[in-house]
Amino acid sequence: MACMIRRACLVQNGRIGVSASITRRFFSDGIGPERQSVVNSKRVVVKVGTAIVSKPNGTLALARMGALVEEIADLIHSGKQVMLVSSGAVGLGRERMGLSKEVVSNVQNVVERQACAAAGQEVLMSTYDMMFNRLGLKSAQVLITQGDFLMPDRYTYLTNTLSRLCSLDVVPIINENDAVTGSSQLDPTTAGRVFTDNDMLSALVAAGTQSDGLCMLTDVDAVFTKPPDEPGAERIKIYSPEIGVVIGEKSTMGRGGMGSKIYAARVAAQGGVNCCIANGIDVRNITRVFDGTDIGTLFPAEKTPSSKHQHWLAYSAQPEGILTVNNASSQRLIEHRVSQGEGEFQIKLSDVVGCLGQFKARSTVSLKDHNGKEFGRAQVVMNSQQLQETIHSGVDAAAESLVASSGDIVILN
């Protein structure tokens, strides 16, 4: 394999040479601080889309997949733990089953898409496993459903398992379990789902496993101010929410267009993960991203990311009710986030002016201000009946009762 040849070339005439990538890794004075954080990452996620692992006719892009596996092997030998989120099962299964793109993309054809996912996942995983084995590396298949993120216990089990696989030098190969969930992303009524494509899945996995970096590979060079084939389009080197982006049409077989990639990258950044969107047609860009080369679009990690639990509250948990808090309390909670820790960060019964829905204690609720705007989420210590009865009881002693503590509250951007 090419990566073995490259590593072998480091030893010449009895002396150990140093590759250009290693030189950049340890002597990176010319790299900006944002890119330096990517270089220093220890645990990373690489996400590849359908266009990377398959050809336009639906067959495997074997040369590109082999090069991808070699790039991941190089990252591992450089000291990084790597997880791979790979799309492509539905497209590969469609080709094997002899179905057209129009049939599989039709929202009415639920079973056909799921059957394609089942057939294609076997092709995808067996190919990856063979390639990693040839390089002396172990891999493990991890198929994920929405419920694995919705339920806190399963979320913990999932992220702990992925972290343990990494510590055992095993490469987790992750995909959504489309054989059972492969139709719902086509239905516009499922807008409240945790993730609708592997872009968001990779962001949630990266944040949940407390990874340092996410390389999100696509079929374009970066995020541009407008579709890159339009005149005047400029590459965005470092993303900022203030930069205007005109989104073009998304791909056919892949689910995630550039809009979903930008949103997913911002979710990863808010979870403390440096995320770079780059072109995956040339898989050598993986090494370039983690060597600090100025390619793609970087979404720098937030300096003070939320905890793993708070990130779950913000992006995975589904609220079962609504708490409306008074204006002073909503301002206090929001200002606490802006000031990064100053002031009181808890919710007492005296802060609450309304409660909607029926839920149990430890349920997730949406926090809204007096105008009805959601500004946060929380896990509450009371059930809805207790809250409603106490709010209307008029008992002064109950006003100081705790509704949600600081570790169970997250303020949304």
Side-chain angles (χ1 to χ4, degrees):
M1 289 290 184
C3 69
M4 292 181 175
I5 295 173
R6 289 198 298 270
R7 285 195 292 275
C9 289
L10 296 179
V11 181
Q12 298 178 358
N13 301 323
R15 300 179 64 185
I16 299 177
V18 182
S19 71
S21 64
I22 293 176
T23 301
R24 286 195 300 272
R25 188 169 294 117
F26 290 100
F27 302 94
S28 50
D29 292 340
I31 299 175
E34 298 91 352
R35 297 277 178 177
Q36 186 63 53
S37 296
V38 181
V39 174
N40 296 337
S41 58
K42 298 299 182 183
R43 175 178 291 175
V44 302
V45 177
V46 176
K47 185 270 175 183
V48 295
T50 302
I52 308 303
V53 301
S54 63
K55 299 178 182 178
N57 64 1
T59 59
L60 281 171
L62 286 172
R64 200 154 53 230
M65 285 185 68
L68 166 67
V69 170
E70 290 181 344
E71 288 289 310
I72 291 174
D74 281 348
L75 288 180
I76 293 171
H77 288 290
S78 74
K80 298 187 190 299
Q81 297 177 346
V82 185
M83 288 173 275
L84 174 63
V85 176
S86 178
S87 304
V90 173
L92 294 170
R94 179 191 65 77
E95 191 274 336
R96 171 172 278 197
M97 305 284 281
L99 298 174
S100 68
K101 290 184 179 181
E102 291 72 25
V103 168
V104 177
S105 300
N106 191 326
V107 67
Q108 302 299 321
N109 298 328
V110 175
V111 178
E112 283 78 4
R113 186 177 181 93
Q114 292 176 307
C116 288
Q121 184 63 33
E122 188 277 330
V123 176
L124 191 65
M125 187 62 204
S126 61
T127 304
Y128 276 131
D129 190 58
M130 178 272 293
M131 289 179 171
F132 277 113
N133 275 329
R134 291 292 297 272
L135 295 179
L137 296 172
K138 298 182 286 290
S139 62
Q141 176 176 262
V142 181
L143 298 179
I144 297 176
T145 66
Q146 302 291 321
D148 298 322
F149 284 96
L150 287 171
M151 305 171 74
D153 289 345
R154 286 169 62 177
Y155 176 78
T156 300
Y157 296 148
L158 169 64
T159 53
N160 287 348
T161 298
L162 291 171
S163 295
R164 183 57 178 149
L165 285 170
C166 288
S167 69
L168 292 170
D169 296 324
V170 177
V171 180
I173 300 175
I174 304 161
N175 197 1
E176 182 176 3
N177 191 356
D178 287 318
V180 295
T181 65
S183 63
S184 52
Q185 78 280 350
L186 300 174
D187 186 351
T189 64
T190 59
R193 284 158 41 97
V194 180
F195 59 92
T196 56
D197 54 51
N198 275 359
D199 298 320
M200 187 62 171
L201 175 59
S202 67
L204 294 172
V205 165
T209 55
Q210 298 176 308
S211 299
D212 309 299
L214 167 59
C215 179
M216 195 179 293
L217 297 179
T218 181
D219 55 358
V220 296
D221 291 334
V223 179
F224 289 80
T225 53
K226 61 177 68 175
D229 56 349
E230 294 186 8
E234 298 180 5
R235 176 172 74 97
I236 299 172
K237 296 182 179 181
I238 306 293
Y239 182 85
S240 171
E242 291 76 26
I243 299 174
V245 179
V246 178
I247 305 298
E249 185 178 356
K250 68 179 181 180
S251 57
T252 303
M253 288 305 296
R255 291 181 238 164
M258 187 53 70
S260 72
K261 286 177 172 56
I262 292 173
Y263 178 70
R266 294 188 65 185
V267 168
Q270 290 164 10
V273 183
N274 291 289
C275 178
C276 186
I277 296 177
N279 195 321
I281 301 301
D282 183 357
V283 294
R284 292 174 298 179
N285 283 337
I286 297 173
T287 294
R288 294 177 182 126
V289 165
F290 291 109
D291 276 347
T293 304
D294 180 19
I295 63 170
T297 298
L298 179 65
F299 293 71
E302 290 195 354
K303 294 181 180 180
T304 54
S306 58
S307 69
K308 179 177 176 179
H309 177 65
Q310 289 171 320
H311 197 267
W312 172 81
L313 275 176
Y315 298 107
S316 299
Q318 294 296 299
E320 299 179 41
I322 299 172
L323 287 189
T324 301
V325 301
N326 59 49
N327 187 50
S329 299
S330 63
Q331 289 298 316
R332 170 173 52 81
L333 293 168
I334 293 170
E335 288 171 3
H336 179 279
R337 182 186 186 281
V338 173
S339 63
Q340 299 181 0
E342 297 179 5
E344 186 179 30
F345 195 58
Q346 60 182 2
I347 300 174
K348 296 180 180 180
L349 204 58
S350 57
D351 300 320
V352 181
V353 295
C355 173
L356 292 176
Q358 296 187 357
F359 48 85
K360 299 177 181 178
R362 300 302 300 166
S363 294
T364 301
V365 298
S366 172
L367 300 177
K368 294 190 176 183
D369 60 22
H370 67 290
N371 293 319
K373 179 181 178 181
E374 183 183 39
F375 68 88
R377 291 181 181 176
Q379 271 191 315
V380 293
V381 298
M382 300 181 184
N383 62 41
S384 55
Q385 183 176 353
Q386 291 173 314
L387 278 165
Q388 290 164 351
E389 289 177 351
T390 314
I391 289 172
H392 300 295
S393 67
V395 179
D396 292 338
E400 295 302 308
S401 298
L402 184 68
V403 175
S405 59
S406 59
D408 292 328
I409 303 171
V410 62
I411 304 304
L412 303 177
N413 289 337

